[in-house]
Amino acid sequence: MSTPRKAVALISGGLDSLLAARLMLEQGIHVEGINFYTGFCVEGHTHAIRKKDKSKTKRNNALWSAEQLGIKLHILDIIDEYKDVVINPKHGYGANMNPCLDCKIFMVSKAKQWMQEKGFDFIITGEVIGQRPMSQRKDLLPVVVRESGADDLLLRPLCAQNLAPTLPEREGWVDREKLLAFHGRNRKPQMALAKEFGFDDYASPAGGCCFLTDVNYSRKLVDLWQARNKKEYELDDIMLLKVGRHIRPAPHYKLIVSREDGENKFLNGYRKQFSTIEIKSHGGPLTLVDGDLSEDDFKQAASIAARFSQGREAESVNVLITPHGKEGYSLDIPPMSASEIKQEWHV
Amino acid sequence: MSSYTLDARNSLCPMPVIKTQNTVNELKAGDTLEVTSTDPGALNDIPAWCRINGHEIINAKENDGVVVIVIRVSD
């Protein structure tokens, strides 16, 4: 009996990549998954910081997919390499700060590199022609093939019959007749196939796996770059954009105000990296302060933070201000009124 | 056979899993690794990663927001 051909599957944790991998397993292909962590991935756990999302299942969907498929999954940290994709996308951004086409090219090129290093034969993805406005347009799928260097080693099982035969099909490693011809934004064929395979409880069919597609998140990222006057970031920067109220009362500083206990705990892990404001006389949020502040700035920041405490109606709130790397000091400050907090300060 | 520890506190999913994966890949069969994480999802994800990669979970518990998981590395 011959050794089965080996395919590396890009597993996002969504339905399409789950189905594409399953179709290959049906054909006797040895499949292993890879999943890329960019730092912008939307994970149940990130949401789980907030109490309102506590009821959501705390699972990593890519791991869940791999377990459903019975395949190994390799999660690759590409945080540093991915920066250039976000900062300098050759093909530009989508509706927000999402560089979807460059992202897909980058990930397929990384998959090809992994495939070669591990002795695998070809790459599969869950792409479907016409499903996404940027990265899965019919005229752009060949761009991914060409610019990733994957060429005809990239097989898209869900829509392969709409595309030219790839090497795995021409060589008979996979049976093209058993591949599919999905196209467009209609999700019903995928849902029907999922039912046929017995998959339920899969992640949201419409995707949405990246914070860069989110308008509010994108606005915060642009604000970060504008404030620093350069397009760069570290992992902590982009993690913090997911958490808390972001308020910029002046160009040179920003407050990150926790909204509830879960965020308080999360922001607490960053207190050594930032100046902080803690409400002492009332229940209230932990506030991280990003920037170089004067004494008057700290008074303004403390007054804003006090507004979000249970002492918001009090004449005065006691706070502990701890400038970064210095001793903290106590301050009694009147909370800022709601009308004084300008709408344009909210990032 | 040796015992190792991994401090993955203050990192969010999937970093605890990635750190576990990268550490386990450097260990030998029979070695044990104790992972500490403050991500509530680690209690699900690290065992899931172990199951699909054939490693044994010896113990997994959560106490006051800290997850501790002990893994025995397989071949």
Side-chain angles (χ1 to χ4, degrees), chain B:
Chain B
M1 287 182 286
S2 305
S3 298
Y4 298 87
T5 59
L6 171 65
D7 184 353
R9 287 177 294 182
N10 297 323
S11 60
L12 284 179
C13 173
M15 286 311 293
V17 179
I18 293 174
K19 289 175 179 176
T20 301
Q21 167 190 267
N22 294 348
T23 304
V24 166
N25 287 345
E26 298 296 317
L27 302 184
K28 296 186 180 75
D31 287 346
T32 60
L33 177 68
E34 181 181 283
V35 185
T36 309
S37 172
T38 45
D39 183 332
L43 203 54
N44 290 327
D45 291 345
I46 292 177
W49 181 85
C50 287
R51 285 194 298 274
I52 61 180
N53 289 285
H55 304 296
E56 181 188 355
I57 296 291
I58 298 173
N59 195 13
K61 61 185 178 185
E62 189 264 337
N63 187 19
D64 198 23
V66 179
V67 174
V68 179
I69 297 170
V70 183
I71 302 162
R72 179 174 287 121
V73 178
S74 300
D75 286 326

Side-chain angles (χ1 to χ4, degrees), chain A residues 99-158:
Chain A
C100 290
L101 185 54
D102 289 84
C103 177
K104 181 63 76 175
I105 292 166
F106 177 75
M107 289 186 176
V108 173
S109 70
K110 292 296 292 182
K112 185 190 175 193
Q113 184 186 339
W114 190 95
M115 177 196 83
Q116 290 172 326
E117 288 171 1
K118 305 292 182 186
F120 277 54
D121 299 301
F122 61 102
I123 304 161
I124 60 169
T125 69
E127 291 167 287
V128 170
I129 285 180
Q131 182 159 263
R132 296 284 171 84
M134 193 172 178
S135 61
Q136 295 184 26
R137 262 171 35 197
K138 185 168 187 176
D139 58 322
L140 295 180
L141 289 184
V143 175
V144 176
V145 169
R146 190 173 61 245
E147 296 193 11
S148 67
D151 298 319
D152 62 356
L153 293 176
L154 174 58
L155 176 65
R156 289 130 164 168
L158 297 184

Side-chain angles (χ1 to χ4, degrees), chain A residues 37 43 45-46 48-49 54 57-60 63 66-67 71-77 79 235 239 266 269-270, chain B residues 10-15 17-18 21-22 25 39-42 44-49 51-54 64 75:
Chain A
Y37 182 55
E43 289 294 343
H45 309 177
T46 311
I49 294 170
K54 287 285 186 194
T57 308
K58 295 180 186 63
R59 75 178 190 200
N60 176 297
L63 282 169
E67 198 161 17
I71 65 171
K72 288 189 174 181
L73 180 75
H74 310 273
I75 306 179
L76 306 185
D77 169 358
I79 293 165
L235 179 61
M239 294 304 288
F266 182 76
Y270 288 90
Chain B
N10 297 323
S11 60
L12 284 179
C13 173
M15 286 311 293
V17 179
I18 293 174
Q21 167 190 267
N22 294 348
N25 287 345
D39 183 332
N44 290 327
D45 291 345
I46 292 177
W49 181 85
R51 285 194 298 274
I52 61 180
N53 289 285
D64 198 23
D75 286 326

Side-chain angles (χ1 to χ4, degrees), chain A residues 276-340:
Chain A
T276 58
I277 299 171
E278 294 167 78
I279 311 296
K280 290 296 185 185
S281 57
H282 298 77
L286 172 64
T287 299
L288 301 185
V289 188
D290 184 17
D292 193 11
L293 281 71
S294 68
E295 199 171 316
D296 283 344
D297 290 333
F298 271 119
K299 285 181 182 172
Q300 183 188 39
S303 182
I304 294 168
R307 174 68 209 168
F308 296 100
S309 77
Q310 290 175 7
R312 66 178 64 86
E313 304 299 335
E315 283 188 14
S316 179
V317 168
N318 178 256
V319 303
L320 175 65
I321 296 174
T322 309
H324 183 223
K326 296 180 181 171
E327 285 293 309
Y329 59 93
S330 177
L331 181 72
D332 292 317
I333 192 90
M336 197 172 274
S337 68
S339 62
E340 288 175 293

